[in-house]
Structure formats: C-alpha cells, structure tokens
Amino acid sequence: MRALFLFFLIATSALSLQTAPENEKPYVWPLTINNGISSTFQEFRSNHFHAGIDLRTFRQTGFPVLAVAAGVIERISMSDRGYGRSLHLRHTDGRYSLYGHLEKFREDIEAQVTQVQKKRGKKYFGTWTLPVPLAVRRGEVIAFSGESGSGFPHLHLEIRNQFGQAINPLSLIGNLHPDEHEPLLKGILLRSRGPSLINDDCGEFYFKLRNNGMLYTLAEPLTVTGPFDLSLHAIDLSDVGHVVAPYSLQAFLDGAPVFQVDFDRLTRDDNNQLGMLYDMAYSTSGAYFINLSYQSGFDLEKTRVRLAERLRQMSPGPHQIKIIVKDRQQNQALALIPLRMVIGNDSSRLQKKYPVRKTDSGIMQRTEFSTYVNQDDVVIKIKDLPVPATMLKLKIIQGDREQVVAAHEYAGGSYFCFKPLNHDPRLQLRFELSDGQQRVEESQKTLHPVLLIKEFAQVVRFHDFVAEFGSTSVLESKVLLFEQVDLKAEFPLLAGPIKLGPDHFAFLDAVFFKFKIPAGEVRREQLGIFKYSFESKKWHYIATQPDYDPGYMKCRVLTAGIFALLRDIDPPAIIFQKPESRHLQSLKRLVVHVSDRGKGIDERTVAVFLNGQIVDAEYDPDWKHILIKDLKHLQRGKNRLLVRANDHGGNKSEKTYTFSIK
C-alpha cells in the first residue's frame, strides 16, 4: 500500500511539473504595444502549418520586443528570407522561444553581429551561436520589431518544447488582451461518398449557415441517402477583429463524438497532415475549410472515428450533426445541422415520370456526361437523359478486366458509381441504352485514372507528362484522373496543360511531376512548370529543376490541379516611385517597384547605381520593391538612378530614372 502511495505521489508530482507552467501561464506578451494578432497557431499555409503566432505592429517597425520568460539568448540568425533577423531564447523550463522578422537586436548583440559580418564578409551570415549565452529576465527588452525576411512589418513568436514540438503561445501567455469575438461559421462543404445522394444529387455541394443569435443552422433542409465527407467553412476574429483560424473544433453525430482537433502543438512531421485538416481546394490564409473527417495518418484528430462509417450505419429518419468551434479564450460558436437519412428505391423516392416514347437514334451522342471523384470512387453523371435508369448500363474495361455497372437515378438524370479495377492508366467506358429486350444505342468514353494505394510506388505517363508517386504519397486508396485541357497561358505553352483531379486531393509525400522538353529548346533556364489558379485566373510558377533524365523538367507537388510547361520570355517590370521629398535633407529613401509575372526576380542580379556609383539596396519580394536607404551619393540638382534586374528565366531589364533634388 505504501509503495502504491509513493508511486501515485511521484506520478502526480511529475504530472504537475509538466502541466503547471501551462496552467499558470507564466509567459508575458512579447511587445510593449498591442495591435492584435494577425495569424494564429496551426493556421493554413500553402505547404505547411503556421508554427507560431504573428503579432501586428501598426505596419511599422522599431517597437521593443520583450522576453516572454526568463532564460538565456543562445543564438541569432541573419537571413534575407524566412524569419529574417531572428533570436532564439532558451528558458529555464526547458522550452525555447523564437522571435522573427526583427529590425535589430539589442545593442550588445548588435555589436557582436557587426563583428561576425566583418569576419565572414557578408551581411547575412545565417545562424550564429553566441560564445557566451546572455541571461535575460522575463519582460526584458531583447530586440526591436521589424519586417526582415518574409512578410510585412510584424513579430513572429514561436515556442517549442525540449522535444522540438511547437507549442501554441496563446496557451502560455498570461496577460493576453481580452478577446470577445466568437468564431464565425460560414457554411459546410459536403462531398458524397460512393453512390450516396445529397438532396437528390451526387457530387460536391456548399450549404450556407445562418446565424440565429448564438446558434448556426442550415438555410435549407438536408436529405442524404448515405455517407459523405464534411468540411466546415469557419473563421475566428482576433482581439482586434482580424481574421484568424479558430483554436478547436468538435463534431458530434446524434450526440456521439466523431471529430476533435485542438490547435495545441505540432511537430515538423505533422505538416504532412495539412491536406487532412484543411481542404486544399478552397482553404487560403484567411479562408479556412476544415475537414471534419478522420482518415489514416490524421494523428492531429483525437476521436479516430470515421464519419463516413458512422453515416453509413445510420437508420432512416431524422439525425443531427452538432459542431462546436472555439478560440483560445473560449469564445465559441455552435452549429446544429439537421439531416434526414432516406433509404429506398431511387425511382420511387425521386418520383420521376418519363414520357411514353420510343428511344430516338443519337440521344446518347447528344447527352452531357460529367465525372466526379472522391476517395477511390468514380461517379459518371448523365444529365437530362429522358429515360429511366433501368434502360441504362455501363461496362468498364481496364486492362484485362471488365465489369458491368448498374445505373442509379438522381434529380438531374442518371449516374454510375464504380471503383477502378486495377492500375492500368486507361479505362474505357461503354454506355448502353436498351429498351429491355435489345440494345438500342451505345456510346463510349475514355478515362485516364491513377489508383494510388498505400506503400505502392508507381510511375504514370500521359502524353508528354510523367507523374512519379512514392510509396508514402497516400495512406488510403485514392483515385486521380488525368485529362488534357484547353487553357490559354500568358507565356508560350510547351507541354500540357494537364489536369489532375479532384482539386482538393492532397499528397502526403514524395510526388514529382515532369514534362518532356520539346526538341530544339536551347534556353532551358526559361522553362518552368506552372500551376493554374482558378481564383486569380493566372498561372503561377512552381520551383522547377532539370530531371536526372535530361529530356525532362520536374517539380515536387503537394496537391492536384492543372499544370503546364511554359517558357518565361517576359523581362521584369521596373517602375520608379516619385521621391517622397524634393529636398536633400528630408529625403530618407528611394523606392523602385520591380515585379515579374513569370519565374520571379533573381535577387542576386539586382543592382542599383546612383549617379554612377553602386549603392546598397535590397529587393523585397513581398512588397515587390527595392528600398534604397543608401543616399550618400545623392546631390542637389539632377540625379540619375539606374536599376538592373534579371528574372530566374534569364530575362534582363535595365531602366534609368532622372530626377531633381533641391
């Protein structure tokens, strides 16, 4: 009994040591000002989770940055990208904090920075460990806020534990400013699974949520015949009303928990779950579509309940999904989503009536076909075909296998649902219309599917396009469809465009896309793989490199979409901004806007000459401008400013600007 008591005492003490700092919230706000939070922990980024919080600084620089807790400054970093000037502070509790995008460090550290710059002969020398760590107290000034590295003026705060896990800073800071804004729920995105129907249709559907006081409900009734995937469109508002991501989400089906995520901590490997948590087709930094469905490898989700399986087991009749969304200060929003499960014969449920008529020749050729894919199911929809589903059948032929698929009915026509039979990249569809006794008409269609399964690597070729899928690209069976599409591009099109769908498909790891280089191409530095954005209606460059096969260019990808090999032939655009003052004594800087719509500015080539003398200037890709503060060669009267810049395609620009100063 005594041994058991001692074990309990030791275990309780260990637990209190682990949780007490978080419960007591021993850290302090890292700025002497409060302009609110612009980004929270675990927010969506295009290829990773945000591992800290971003604090607004009135779009200005130079505010004192404070140590969030006592500790020692161990190292600093000087980079022109990423976190820019950053500082690492090791705390007495074993955690460490990182402060990014600083304008400058405190004076004793700045003196050491100057020495290292002289010794290494470069301004941005990377990471440097202080010979003697500097002890600091909680709340002591350690640096000043800035806009170095990536982004506009702000402070990035990141806290990690001794295991390297990122911890939500809002869980540790005790003097947070009050936040009275509850999360806002915009709508839900449903994708049918298998042959299921959602309001008598199959595919992807968005339903708006309306706010009745503190409760969100659907603006229209919801009827389903089977399982579906669910994404919640939600945002939170920070203490100053800025759009950020919520902190926690819970979902319940008929009172039973089916989903829970709390944005508490992250490891670097958790970035592979980005496409599991966020819908990759619609999520942006500021618009969050959060998948409320568990799948294999989704370790951030706590219930391990598969929503689709629970929905598949539901009995006919009324049911309810409850969703609770909270921010870190426990403001919450509640949504109650009533739905009705209907099971039965498609025709009797839809109560369709068809005219008594003979099937006319050519009706199948005039019919509109569309394809919908979710998980490993393929759905072919036939719209406005005025015949019952009993008169239709589909034979799928893939490699040496074939299968006959029965038709179902939905409100707009008929549809077929099937899974690929094997890994053959060519799948033939043969639609047959019969009058019950004999075949009346036939139509054919070809699909190019890729069946991805766990621990199976494969290479797929489609025209001049090659996709390499590693064995860790998926953890559950998924289907992708390849399709050649017709899209215009602002640059010469060399290969593609190739569409891979569905758009929300996210890979876990090790996926490369390659395009064959046309014969005779000599300026290969101009070539790049671009992805089309439906939101901006533009092509965006993806980091591209020559493949080990010299006839191809390749890139690494995280999501499906539309891709093409383009040649960037446009030089950068250089536009001079009018001087902020015409007086020599009051002019503090010159600004030149430099942009490129292709492969981007090669910052190594940016050069600025003022009155024939080269001056110190840096290109900021976020603002897309060169900020010139080195004005020692400025003179009264006429001045001549010359700017040179190349893009990564080797296209060159040079422009001169003449102006007068009093």
Side-chain angles (χ1 to χ4, degrees):
M1 186 69 179
R2 178 180 176 83
L4 181 62
F5 173 78
L6 287 174
F7 173 80
F8 175 79
L9 182 62
I10 293 171
T12 305
S13 300
L15 183 62
S16 65
L17 285 173
Q18 182 179 5
T19 60
E22 183 167 340
N23 292 337
E24 296 170 6
K25 292 193 173 183
Y27 289 16
V28 297
W29 187 257
L31 287 169
T32 57
I33 59 159
N34 178 46
N35 186 218
I37 297 171
S38 59
S39 293
T40 53
F41 185 76
Q42 211 165 329
E43 276 191 2
F44 175 85
R45 296 294 185 265
S46 61
N47 59 4
H48 65 279
F49 291 112
H50 190 230
I53 60 174
D54 289 342
L55 310 183
R56 292 153 54 101
T57 57
F58 299 100
R59 284 186 170 260
Q60 300 176 32
T61 63
F63 295 104
V65 175
L66 313 178
V68 294
V72 292
I73 300 173
E74 291 187 331
R75 65 184 188 273
I76 60 172
S77 182
M78 289 284 292
S79 172
D80 60 345
R81 288 293 161 263
Y83 293 143
R85 285 175 175 249
S86 62
L87 181 149
H88 297 251
L89 174 57
R90 176 73 61 182
H91 299 292
T92 55
D93 59 9
R95 300 186 182 100
Y96 72 85
S97 54
L98 179 149
Y99 309 79
H101 312 296
L102 304 172
E103 181 179 56
K104 60 181 179 179
F105 307 105
R106 71 185 203 183
E107 289 186 4
D108 52 349
I109 300 178
E110 277 294 322
Q112 297 185 50
V113 168
T114 302
Q115 294 177 0
V116 176
Q117 288 173 330
K118 290 180 179 179
K119 183 177 180 180
R120 298 188 179 181
K122 53 185 177 181
K123 182 177 181 179
Y124 300 109
F125 50 75
T127 301
W128 181 66
T129 301
L130 275 64
V132 180
L134 298 176
V136 295
R137 302 181 305 276
R138 183 176 69 170
E140 185 176 344
V141 175
I142 56 176
F144 296 87
S145 68
E147 59 176 326
S148 60
S150 303
F152 304 128
H154 72 284
L155 174 68
H156 174 83
L157 173 65
E158 195 169 309
I159 298 175
R160 293 185 180 270
N161 62 19
Q162 59 269 38
F163 305 110
Q165 294 175 315
I167 308 297
N168 190 338
L170 299 181
S171 301
L172 298 170
I173 297 174
N175 60 336
L176 291 175
H177 295 265
D179 174 10
E180 299 179 353
H181 301 97
E182 66 272 2
L184 302 179
L185 311 186
K186 302 287 190 177
I188 56 173
L189 180 70
L190 304 185
R191 293 188 177 99
S192 58
R193 297 282 294 266
S196 301
L197 295 180
I198 299 172
N199 284 0
D200 295 335
D201 203 348
C202 52
E204 175 185 288
F205 308 97
Y206 182 85
F207 297 89
K208 290 183 178 180
L209 290 171
R210 61 185 179 189
N211 188 357
N212 296 324
M214 297 296 293
L215 177 66
Y216 288 86
T217 59
L218 283 181
E220 57 184 299
L222 178 61
T223 301
V224 300
T225 66
F228 53 82
D229 292 329
L230 169 63
S231 294
L232 175 68
H233 181 195
I235 62 172
D236 185 30
L237 298 178
S238 70
D239 50 351
V240 292
H242 190 83
V243 174
V244 295
Y247 162 69
S248 72
L249 299 97
Q250 292 176 281
F252 303 83
L253 178 60
D254 294 335
V258 293
F259 184 85
Q260 182 177 350
V261 163
D262 300 314
F263 292 2
D264 279 322
R265 62 187 59 208
L266 282 171
T267 68
R268 289 178 175 84
D269 291 339
D270 289 338
N271 285 319
N272 283 344
Q273 301 175 55
L274 181 71
M276 296 181 180
L277 179 60
Y278 289 106
D279 186 273
M280 299 300 285
Y282 299 107
S283 292
T284 63
S285 297
Y288 308 104
F289 284 75
I290 302 166
N291 297 321
L292 305 184
S293 304
Y294 172 75
Q295 56 181 293
S296 297
F298 193 3
D299 296 332
L300 295 172
E301 201 281 320
K302 296 180 179 179
T303 69
R304 300 297 191 269
V305 175
R306 295 178 182 268
L307 176 62
E309 292 301 321
R310 290 292 177 89
L311 291 168
R312 189 174 283 112
Q313 298 168 8
M314 283 197 318
S315 59
H319 299 271
Q320 185 185 77
I321 295 176
K322 179 171 73 173
I323 302 173
I324 301 174
V325 182
K326 297 180 181 180
D327 65 17
R328 197 59 190 88
Q329 296 198 34
Q330 299 305 305
N331 299 300
Q332 76 170 37
L334 171 66
L336 295 180
I337 302 171
L339 61 92
R340 178 171 291 276
M341 173 65 74
V342 177
I343 300 176
N345 181 271
D346 292 340
S347 297
S348 62
R349 182 177 57 79
L350 294 171
Q351 298 180 340
K352 274 189 167 184
K353 294 183 179 180
Y354 298 96
V356 179
R357 53 177 290 183
K358 291 185 178 181
T359 305
D360 61 337
S361 177
I363 189 173
M364 293 291 289
Q365 305 302 322
R366 300 192 301 270
T367 298
E368 179 183 341
F369 294 84
S370 62
T371 306
Y372 163 73
V373 176
N374 191 19
Q375 305 298 327
D376 60 346
D377 294 309
V378 180
V379 174
I380 307 295
K381 298 173 68 173
I382 306 176
K383 187 177 180 181
D384 297 331
L385 186 64
V387 297
T390 54
M391 296 179 63
L392 296 169
K393 71 176 181 180
L394 168 66
K395 178 184 286 188
I396 60 174
I397 304 170
Q398 190 173 17
D400 58 354
R401 296 190 60 189
E402 61 181 53
Q403 176 184 332
V404 175
V405 181
H408 305 273
E409 291 188 0
Y410 75 102
S414 300
Y415 70 101
F416 303 90
C417 180
F418 59 89
K419 299 179 186 294
L421 305 177
N422 50 46
H423 292 280
D424 194 296
R426 182 180 175 87
L427 190 151
Q428 286 186 302
L429 307 176
R430 293 182 181 174
F431 301 93
E432 183 180 298
L433 175 64
S434 67
D435 59 7
Q437 296 180 348
Q438 61 181 356
R439 183 172 59 193
V440 175
E441 193 175 339
E442 187 178 84
S443 179
Q444 295 191 18
K445 183 179 177 68
T446 301
L447 298 180
H448 300 277
V450 178
L451 176 60
L452 301 176
I453 61 176
K454 181 182 178 182
E455 298 179 352
F456 182 78
Q458 57 183 312
V459 177
V460 180
R461 300 181 182 276
F462 184 69
H463 301 301
D464 292 332
F465 175 78
V466 178
E468 297 177 343
F469 300 98
S471 59
T472 57
S473 59
V474 296
L475 292 179
E476 294 183 354
S477 296
K478 303 286 180 68
V479 173
L480 272 177
L481 288 184
F482 287 66
E483 181 184 0
Q484 183 99 34
V485 294
D486 184 17
L487 270 178
K488 294 182 179 180
E490 51 264 47
F491 301 115
L493 179 65
L494 304 181
I498 301 296
K499 178 181 179 181
L500 291 88
D503 294 335
H504 64 276
F505 192 103
F507 307 109
L508 293 181
D509 197 13
V511 177
F512 294 90
F513 289 171
K514 304 193 299 186
F515 281 96
K516 187 176 182 180
I517 301 172
E521 285 293 332
V522 291
R523 293 199 61 183
R524 297 196 174 191
E525 72 276 10
Q526 291 186 328
L527 307 187
I529 298 176
F530 288 69
K531 184 178 181 181
Y532 185 75
S533 168
F534 286 99
E535 183 179 4
S536 65
K537 307 298 182 185
K538 294 181 179 179
W539 292 89
H540 299 280
Y541 173 69
I542 303 174
T544 307
Q545 62 187 22
D547 188 37
Y548 56 84
D549 182 340
Y552 286 85
M553 302 292 287
K554 76 173 182 180
C555 67
R556 186 172 184 173
V557 295
L558 295 175
T559 61
I562 300 177
F563 301 84
L565 180 66
L566 306 179
R567 185 198 293 119
D568 178 3
I569 60 173
D570 285 0
I574 301 175
I575 301 175
F576 294 98
Q577 180 176 306
K578 184 179 179 181
E580 297 170 353
S581 173
R582 290 292 184 181
H583 297 275
L584 181 63
Q585 292 182 342
S586 57
L587 185 60
K588 303 300 181 183
R589 64 180 190 175
L590 295 171
V591 180
V592 181
H593 297 276
V594 182
S595 61
D596 185 75
R597 61 176 187 163
K599 298 181 69 173
I601 300 297
D602 184 352
E603 298 164 38
R604 300 168 300 176
T605 67
V606 174
V608 178
F609 298 83
L610 180 57
N611 294 323
Q613 302 295 319
I614 192 166
V615 296
D616 185 24
E618 294 181 8
Y619 176 71
D620 188 323
D622 299 300
W623 289 97
K624 292 183 172 56
H625 71 200
I626 302 171
L627 198 61
I628 307 165
K629 295 183 179 180
D630 180 6
L631 302 180
K632 59 179 176 288
H633 300 295
L634 193 66
Q635 60 191 20
R636 286 186 171 86
K638 283 191 175 182
N639 290 269
R640 184 173 180 268
L641 186 66
L642 183 147
V643 176
R644 294 173 182 162
N646 300 354
D647 63 18
H648 286 289
N651 303 299
K652 301 178 180 180
S653 285
E654 179 176 309
K655 201 166 185 180
T656 301
Y657 177 56
T658 302
F659 59 99
S660 297
I661 294 294
K662 297 180 181 179

